[in-house]
Amino acid sequence: MSEKQSGGEQFVFQAEIQQLLDILTHSLYTHRDIFIRELISNAADALDKARFKSIKGETLADPDLDFEIRIDLDKDKRIITICDTGIGMTHDELVRNIGTIARSGTSEFLKTLGENGSDKLNLIGRFGVGFYSVFMAGEKVEIVTRPADPEAPAHRWISDGKGSYQIEPGPDDAKRGTEIRVHLREDALQFTEKFTVESAIKKYSNFVPFPIKIDGEQINKQSAIWREPKSSVTEEQYKEFFKFIANETEDPLTWMHFSADAPIQFHALLFVPKKTREIFGFGKDETGINLFVRRVMVDNHAQEVLPDYLRFVRGVLDSDDLPLNISRETLQENPYLRKISTTVVGRFLSHLQELSEKQPETFQGIWNQYGRVLKEGYMDFTHKDKLAPLFRFDSSKNSEPAQTVSLSDYVKRMRDKQEAIYYLSGATREAIEKNPTLEIFKAKDIEVLYCTDPVDEFALPGLIEFEGKSLQSVDQADLKKIESIEALEKKEEKAEEEKISEKELKNLARRIKDILGERVEDVELSQRLVDSPAVLVGTTPGMSAQMERLMHLMHEETAKPKRKMEINGKHPLIRRLLQIYQTNPKDPFLVQAAETLFDSVVLLDGFIADPHAMALRSQQLLTQSTELYLQKPGQSE
Ligand code: ADP
């Protein structure tokens, strides 16, 4: 990979990085000032790391140097220099971090850029390749870096961004930290103007917690706004701060700022970004909480502050009561941090609840983006009572698909004598609406929550109950209880119709069970069907049919879930089958009809057992029924 050359080594940029560099150097991008943001953000990270080391008691090279970022502008030479007194890089770190090894984000970023993606260049920092943005403005870049380790030597890295770079020993008098000299392209002269650079800093880097100086003068405010009283922070400052810490360009949907003194002292400032990052298809979003201890950043992706189901939240937690030299492992077990976390989560969920009452539209926006993730919280028993009221579902009372119905809306609308909250899962709203098990609920005007997210299958039973009402899947409902709920408009019972004896229908059911054999647990008369002739229902207590389906999909080795077939004694098809049965219980047409009926309910249930046999049976049935049709008086000539 490297070649020694006159005291230096020549390296070739990894192919994907070269591809990225080609795009960066050739794009006509209007916001080239983001390279300043990226370099400053790297400098701030490096300073955080150095300060953390020093607080832990390690000796740094040049211990008297202040932690700061200096920018020097040289109009004559067309150079902007960005210099920090941070952790620096060793030779190997230079190779690893810049140029030789593609970082995992490189290809993702290239994909995001796509063909005409120069408007997305702005997102570069999110993908861990922000450094390369320097080539949007620079034709040659020199890095001189000296690690904080007092023993380690300095190195110089030089490249024109065209295929290769060189690393050579750095000057002996180089101080701790990293200096990046950008030789500007002819068309990027504005970056030697103080005004331009200052505007970029104010726009993107105002909250960097270290002084940023241009030619000696401090530019940024550098205030830890989360430590200030709420009343002294303006809405604009919150938004600006959010964009800074979350690397976002749009305003947050909401934020919560709160401080506690006793029993544990801490400050928390949390934001909800406008859009989820999980739809990018890059897997789970990384947690976005910056953990500070006494103003010192100890972790910029702290896992221990918020649970996984709040991974979309961005923000800061700062406490004076946590030990500074704490390792990640001990952080997890730290009882103070656990207490803080419980309090912060509770407060944040209450904030969302309040939002749902006072600004329902904003809340709905949050739910639409993050509802699926929030529902993963059903396992958090500590906060269940605050989470459940936030959940929203589609429902049979909605006229079009939208997750807008809360469990309390549902409970308020429950029918007289209705005891449980009912839900039904399926892949889509359409599939759910066609499910025959819903029919009795429609007839009785009982609301049913429509669950189209796979997580619902676990989240709803996981809640166990809400406001004293149990949660039940429609296909698990106690039909006797449903029976006692009055139908809205009683359908005219055709009382005069010949009384069909239940006994006879039960005999028919038994005969159908004989025909279907082991394929069904049983065949019974249905209490739940109104318009459909038959349906399959699950037989495992406490587990909905959809849940069984999911379990089977996840663990294919498990037996296919057992099903019971229910037939609707009032349906004309079943009545005709009964007639056939009464004439000849062994009629081969009855066998064929029962088989085909079973095929159709299997399809509705979501399992396709044997498509060939199914197709064949329905064709045979068609052959017979067309023959019958032709025999009808007046049909055939
Ligand atoms: P990111 O900062 O998101 O990791 P970059 O491409 O901006 O991605 O930087 C790559 C890596 O190079 C950083 O993670 C860091 O290890 C190293 N690096 C960049 N700038 C500096 C600096 N000023 N001081 C020390 N290390 C740096």
Side-chain angles (χ1 to χ4, degrees):
M1 189 67 78
S2 77
E3 244 174 74
K4 291 252 176 202
Q5 255 188 17
S6 59
E9 297 165 272
Q10 192 81 15
F11 291 81
V12 177
F13 280 118
Q14 198 271 350
E16 272 176 344
I17 298 177
Q18 188 53 53
Q19 207 180 329
L20 175 61
L21 287 172
D22 288 343
I23 297 176
L24 290 171
T25 44
H26 293 114
S27 60
L28 293 169
Y29 187 59
T30 44
H31 298 290
R32 287 196 292 186
D33 57 357
I34 61 155
F35 89 88
I36 295 177
R37 173 186 75 190
E38 297 303 325
L39 295 187
I40 289 181
S41 137
N42 284 346
D45 287 347
L47 285 163
D48 267 322
K49 289 180 191 153
R51 181 161 67 177
F52 190 40
K53 250 180 186 309
S54 122
I55 283 167
K56 282 199 298 184
E58 293 180 33
T59 312
L60 304 186
D62 305 309
D64 298 333
L65 276 186
D66 288 335
F67 294 111
E68 63 178 16
I69 299 168
R70 289 193 310 270
I71 299 179
D72 290 307
L73 306 174
D74 186 334
K75 257 189 205 162
D76 299 336
K77 293 199 180 127
R78 233 165 63 201
I79 294 177
I80 170 171
T81 308
I82 297 178
C83 180
D84 66 66
T85 51
I87 191 97
M89 281 176 275
T90 62
H91 174 277
D92 289 354
E93 282 164 347
L94 267 177
V95 173
R96 203 164 47 235
N97 294 332
I98 301 182
T100 317
I101 299 166
R103 322 193 95 213
S104 59
T106 322
S107 60
E108 282 165 10
F109 184 53
L110 286 171
K111 256 184 258 155
T112 303
L113 285 180
E115 294 213 331
N116 303 308
S118 55
D119 57 329
K120 303 209 186 82
L121 280 174
N122 207 345
L123 301 177
I124 190 162
R126 277 192 202 170
F127 294 84
V129 287
F131 169 78
Y132 302 106
S133 62
V134 70
F135 287 102
M136 296 200 295
E139 58 185 16
K140 181 173 142 193
V141 177
E142 271 178 88
I143 306 175
V144 173
T145 182
R146 161 109 195 255
D149 172 1
E151 305 299 318
H155 284 91
R156 187 195 302 274
W157 179 105
I158 309 163
S159 178
D160 59 4
K162 296 195 185 100
S164 69
Y165 63 93
Q166 191 166 331
I167 298 182
E168 56 189 41
D172 286 339
D173 62 352
K175 297 265 186 274
R176 178 190 80 222
T178 303
E179 178 183 287
I180 300 183
R181 283 164 75 83
V182 187
H183 298 256
L184 292 164
R185 284 164 25 175
E186 229 165 76
D187 62 357
L189 252 179
Q190 70 268 36
F191 297 112
T192 56
E193 299 286 348
K194 183 166 174 238
F195 173 77
T196 313
V197 180
E198 187 172 338
S199 314
I201 293 170
K202 291 233 158 93
K203 183 152 89 184
Y204 303 119
S205 313
N206 221 355
F207 295 99
V208 166
F210 300 95
I212 305 174
K213 298 175 175 168
I214 301 184
D215 296 333
E217 180 196 338
Q218 179 163 342
I219 303 298
N220 61 329
K221 290 204 209 100
Q222 190 208 335
S223 66
I225 67 166
W226 60 90
R227 284 182 161 260
E228 289 173 21
K230 254 162 125 167
S231 54
S232 72
V233 187
T234 67
E235 195 159 304
E236 254 340 286
Q237 280 175 310
Y238 281 125
K239 290 179 181 169
E240 219 186 301
F241 179 69
F242 164 72
K243 289 177 189 168
F244 165 67
I245 54 155
N247 231 330
E248 290 281 351
T249 50
E250 290 187 277
D251 289 343
L253 286 174
T254 183
W255 61 86
M256 180 194 87
H257 184 186
F258 115 96
S259 303
D261 274 324
I264 303 174
Q265 186 281 342
F266 68 89
H267 305 274
L269 176 53
L270 305 180
F271 299 88
V272 178
K274 207 167 217 164
K275 293 209 178 81
T276 168
R277 290 187 183 185
E278 300 201 1
I279 46 168
F280 279 124
F282 301 146
K284 258 172 140 182
D285 197 3
E286 222 179 346
T287 54
I289 300 299
N290 297 313
L291 179 62
F292 286 73
V293 175
R294 289 167 237 170
R295 284 170 191 265
V296 177
M297 162 109 83
V298 297
D299 190 351
N300 61 352
H301 288 293
Q303 310 267 349
E304 301 77 13
V305 182
L306 296 180
D308 211 28
Y309 64 85
L310 293 178
R311 58 185 177 267
F312 55 88
V313 175
R314 298 282 171 269
V316 172
L317 179 78
D318 189 352
S319 171
D320 290 352
D321 287 344
L322 293 172
L324 250 175
N325 55 6
I326 193 169
S327 71
R328 286 205 170 186
E329 295 73 48
T330 50
L331 206 51
Q332 261 171 9
E333 285 148 24
N334 187 287
Y336 286 115
L337 188 55
R338 282 222 215 119
K339 277 227 177 72
I340 295 177
S341 161
T342 310
T343 313
V344 172
V345 172
R347 288 291 290 249
F348 183 72
L349 296 176
S350 303
H351 173 81
L352 291 184
Q353 179 60 32
E354 209 179 297
L355 199 67
S356 75
E357 287 155 19
K358 294 190 179 148
Q359 295 176 43
E361 276 175 29
T362 309
F363 177 80
Q364 191 62 44
I366 293 176
W367 183 262
N368 293 345
Q369 287 295 314
Y370 307 107
R372 197 173 284 195
V373 179
L374 267 171
K375 277 188 281 192
E376 291 174 20
Y378 72 91
M379 281 186 283
D380 182 355
F381 290 104
T382 319
H383 296 108
K384 195 181 108 173
D385 292 346
K386 288 192 166 174
L387 265 169
L390 299 175
F391 290 0
R392 296 290 185 271
F393 301 91
D394 194 3
S395 138
S396 54
K397 296 275 175 198
N398 278 355
S399 51
E400 46 189 62
Q403 292 194 358
T404 49
V405 176
S406 72
L407 293 172
S408 7
D409 294 339
Y410 184 102
V411 170
K412 277 188 214 119
R413 295 198 286 244
M414 275 168 67
R415 303 266 344 254
D416 260 4
K417 295 194 187 157
Q418 185 183 340
E419 290 177 7
I421 299 171
Y422 297 104
Y423 64 91
L424 184 57
S425 303
T428 60
R429 184 185 162 101
E430 291 72 40
I432 295 173
E433 280 189 317
K434 290 201 180 92
N435 191 320
T437 55
L438 266 188
E439 288 170 3
I440 179 86
F441 290 83
K442 284 182 191 153
K444 303 264 181 184
D445 193 38
I446 300 171
E447 179 166 14
V448 173
L449 300 174
Y450 292 168
C451 299
T452 44
D453 287 339
V455 60
D456 293 333
E457 264 308 318
F458 302 94
L460 278 169
L463 295 178
I464 303 169
E465 54 119 55
F466 181 82
E467 293 180 7
K469 318 284 177 204
S470 69
L471 290 127
Q472 284 183 17
S473 172
V474 155
D475 53 355
Q476 291 277 302
D478 181 344
L479 291 172
K480 286 201 198 75
K481 292 201 169 141
I482 304 261
E483 219 26 69
S484 66
I485 298 172
E486 240 172 80
L488 260 203
E489 33 183 284
K490 278 195 178 162
K491 275 199 180 162
E492 281 291 305
E493 287 282 331
K494 289 178 194 157
E496 292 318 306
E497 230 174 60
E498 78 275 27
K499 257 233 173 298
I500 304 224
S501 111
E502 204 173 296
K503 203 169 139 228
E504 286 290 281
L505 276 166
K506 280 190 173 156
N507 287 339
L508 171 67
R510 210 162 299 134
R511 171 72 186 120
I512 297 178
K513 162 70 180 141
D514 274 354
I515 296 169
L516 299 176
E518 289 305 301
R519 285 173 287 171
V520 285
E521 278 279 279
D522 207 352
V523 179
E524 286 176 3
L525 285 187
S526 184
Q527 310 295 327
R528 68 179 96 226
L529 295 177
V530 178
D531 299 317
S532 299
V535 67
L536 284 184
V537 292
T539 58
T540 319
M543 206 190 258
S544 74
Q546 176 73 1
M547 169 81 93
E548 289 188 305
R549 218 169 285 143
L550 280 174
M551 300 295 254
H552 183 64
L553 281 177
M554 287 192 290
H555 312 283
E556 278 186 29
E557 70 282 4
T558 56
K560 209 177 269 171
K562 289 274 186 197
R563 293 286 191 259
K564 187 166 74 178
M565 181 154 110
E566 290 185 0
I567 55 174
N568 176 2
K570 296 191 189 110
H571 194 279
L573 170 58
I574 301 298
R575 294 202 172 183
R576 282 176 205 145
L577 291 183
L578 181 62
Q579 272 181 317
I580 299 173
Y581 170 76
Q582 282 166 333
T583 319
N584 173 15
K586 297 254 145 95
D587 193 321
F589 183 80
L590 184 65
V591 175
Q592 207 159 11
E595 291 273 4
T596 312
L597 180 62
F598 178 67
D599 287 346
S600 69
V601 292
V602 165
L603 275 177
L604 284 176
D605 192 43
F607 284 113
I608 301 182
D610 182 353
H612 296 283
M614 264 186 193
L616 212 68
R617 276 195 292 269
S618 77
Q619 287 162 3
Q620 279 169 354
L621 197 74
L622 273 175
T623 313
Q624 290 195 5
S625 52
T626 44
E627 188 188 354
L628 286 172
Y629 181 74
L630 286 172
Q631 284 166 11
K632 251 171 90 178
Q635 290 297 329
S636 56
E637 289 307 300

